[in-house]
Amino acid sequence: MIGAATRRGLLALAIPGCATAQPGMVTPPAAPGGGLHARAAAKGLAFGAATSTRQMAEPDLMAAFLADCGLLVAEYEMKWAELEPQPGNRRTRRADQLFDFARRNGMAVRGHTLLWHESEPRWLSDLSARGTAAAMAQHVDATVLCWRGQVTTWDVVNEAVAPEDGRPDFLRRTWLLNRIGPDYLPQAFHIARAADPNARLAYNDFGCEHATAWSRRRRLGVLGLLRGLRQAGAPVQVLGMQAHLQAGQPFEASEWRAFLADVAALGLTIEVTELDVNCRALPAAAGPRDAAAADLVRRFLDATLEEPAVRAVVTWGLTDRHSWIREGRLPEHRRRDTARARPLPYDDAMRRKPIWAAIAAALDAAPPRG
Ligand code: G3I
């Protein structure tokens, strides 16, 4: 096992521009039983996390990333609004830094995400229906071609289901849907397949995990969308379930497993793609809050990993320090007290938390994949 100083030295080599470790920065001691990806790989699974070029400048975070992750996903650098802020003016420098880091460290890369209504460039809304269709096709083709052979799974479409929008097919009334119609969905998958014959192609969504009427409607919408894609002959192979879990909401393992079995019956594999825990509903005290979050993660992952079609677990970040939940953009993230969100496996000082142990235990208990 290499010592912390050596690891920091190696880290500085692995990450160009990575600041040398500051005194007092915690490099996590080696985890007894191995890091999370080693535990996952022992069962034929993958474990990884979202990160960003900004986070790559933090040696303690990157040391944990190297210790625990076998794959990475860009938190925002590979989205349309970031790649093409002006039409035709594509920029991949930041995303390329993440690919370089992954390549240097033998990590896989999940592509996130080609089409998402929250990350479309502003200029798209200036286009006609025909112009929108051409721009979408050009973006999907150019982006998949750019990293052809370097992405294991592409989130081709993200969050296209919104029962509250009132359509009988539960599709979200996005700009692309309004301009092109529901056919934008299979079109995107066909264009991505033509650009990279080997990447696995995923539909990714959120809010399906809990035993609530809201989640049940979302699951119906997701299943309907997947069945529609399959009937249209679209090359969808993976369902990405974001798993932004909500502490305090009910979770029924049998109900969740039945949904996963329905997805697997369509011939798809499944990836947990953005796991974290919103603990807004829990009291402020960190100890009980961390324990409750870890219990929910363990119950969720135990049920999820029983499904043989599940192949990867990805958290939406590694450390509470950078969690999107702390930005408080969503009302359901805003606590009434001043306690800060603690949704991820490591705390601000890069100490492992009960969530880390819950993920490790669930991976160790998971049935091996064929
Ligand atoms: O755009 C600037 C960039 O120019 C600047 O140099 C960089 C350096 O700080 O920051 C960039 O700012 C923001 C970026 O996060 C970094 O914080 C972007 O404006 C902002 O849009 C971006 O937000 C991301 C958001 O998706 C939209 O892309 C969040 O980090 C990310 O956590 C969030 O992730 C989404 C998933 O993709 C889909 N599922 C839900 C999840 C949470 O909303």
Side-chain angles (χ1 to χ4, degrees):
M1 181 60 66
I2 58 172
T6 311
R7 189 204 305 263
R8 275 198 293 276
L10 289 175
L11 191 61
L13 289 175
I15 306 170
C18 167
T20 50
Q22 308 304 321
M25 273 208 175
V26 174
T27 299
L36 295 178
H37 180 64
R39 294 167 186 255
K43 299 297 181 69
L45 290 157
F47 178 83
T51 190
S52 68
T53 45
R54 185 177 49 174
Q55 294 176 23
M56 285 174 63
E58 300 176 12
D60 60 343
L61 171 49
M62 286 299 113
F65 213 94
L66 292 176
D68 277 319
C69 296
L71 68 83
L72 70 80
V73 56
E75 191 161 7
Y76 71 94
E77 290 88 347
M78 292 174 67
K79 293 169 180 170
W80 195 354
E82 288 298 321
L83 289 175
E84 195 177 7
Q86 285 82 34
N89 170 17
R90 293 180 67 82
R91 58 185 189 182
T92 64
R93 184 176 56 81
R94 283 204 186 111
D96 287 334
Q97 283 179 34
L98 293 167
F99 275 93
D100 288 347
F101 174 77
R103 192 180 306 115
R104 282 189 176 79
N105 294 286
M107 288 182 184
V109 175
R110 280 196 99 255
H112 179 79
T113 177
L114 294 170
L115 299 177
W116 180 33
H117 63 284
E118 288 197 25
S119 67
E120 288 161 353
R122 288 197 174 84
W123 50 264
L124 196 66
S125 54
D126 302 333
L127 302 182
S128 65
R130 181 188 298 265
T132 299
M136 181 198 88
Q138 233 163 353
H139 165 65
V140 171
D141 180 58
T143 307
V144 176
L145 267 179
C146 175
W147 293 298
R148 179 185 174 117
Q150 301 175 65
V151 171
T152 49
T153 304
W154 266 110
D155 287 337
V156 177
V157 176
N158 188 47
E159 301 180 13
V161 164
E164 67 277 8
D165 281 5
R167 284 178 54 98
D169 56 13
F170 284 4
L171 288 181
R172 187 183 300 273
R173 294 182 189 278
T174 64
W175 178 261
L176 291 178
L177 181 101
N178 294 338
R179 279 312 224 197
I180 302 171
D183 275 358
Y184 87 94
L185 292 161
Q187 284 171 20
F189 279 87
H190 284 299
I191 295 164
R193 170 56 67 242
D196 187 339
N198 299 311
R200 293 182 67 72
L201 303 181
Y203 172 72
N204 192 51
D205 216 329
F206 71 96
C208 293
E209 298 81 9
H210 285 285
T212 62
W214 183 79
S215 278
R216 290 182 188 113
R217 278 165 58 85
R218 292 194 56 77
R219 292 199 289 269
L220 281 178
V222 167
L223 272 177
L225 182 151
L226 293 174
R227 288 184 177 124
L229 283 172
R230 299 292 278 186
Q231 280 152 17
V236 58
Q237 298 159 294
V238 182
L239 173 63
M241 285 277 90
Q242 293 181 13
H244 292 299
L245 302 180
Q246 307 295 323
Q249 286 195 15
F251 172 74
E252 285 295 332
S254 56
E255 191 175 311
W256 177 242
R257 281 205 307 274
F259 169 71
L260 296 181
D262 287 344
V263 173
L266 293 174
L268 275 64
T269 59
I270 298 154
E271 298 176 12
V272 173
T273 56
E274 303 182 18
L275 178 62
D276 56 19
V277 185
N278 174 21
C279 297
R280 172 184 180 267
L282 299 179
R289 192 155 40 117
D290 286 355
D295 173 67
L296 176 56
V297 166
R298 179 67 198 271
R299 286 186 292 120
F300 171 76
L301 286 181
D302 279 350
T304 301
L305 293 173
E306 276 194 34
E307 171 49 62
V310 174
R311 297 305 169 88
V313 176
V314 177
T315 54
W316 201 241
L318 269 188
T319 168
D320 299 337
R321 193 191 291 175
H322 295 302
S323 172
W324 71 290
I325 293 176
R326 285 192 173 178
E327 295 165 14
R329 281 187 284 124
L330 301 182
E332 61 267 33
H333 291 167
R334 295 178 206 135
R335 295 182 64 92
R336 293 186 184 83
D337 55 39
T338 57
R340 305 194 72 193
R342 297 174 61 84
L344 287 167
Y346 286 85
D347 67 12
D348 291 60
M350 294 310 299
R351 286 178 293 251
R352 292 188 197 96
K353 293 161 57 193
I355 286 180
W356 189 98
I359 296 171
L363 291 170
D364 291 346
R369 267 65 189 153

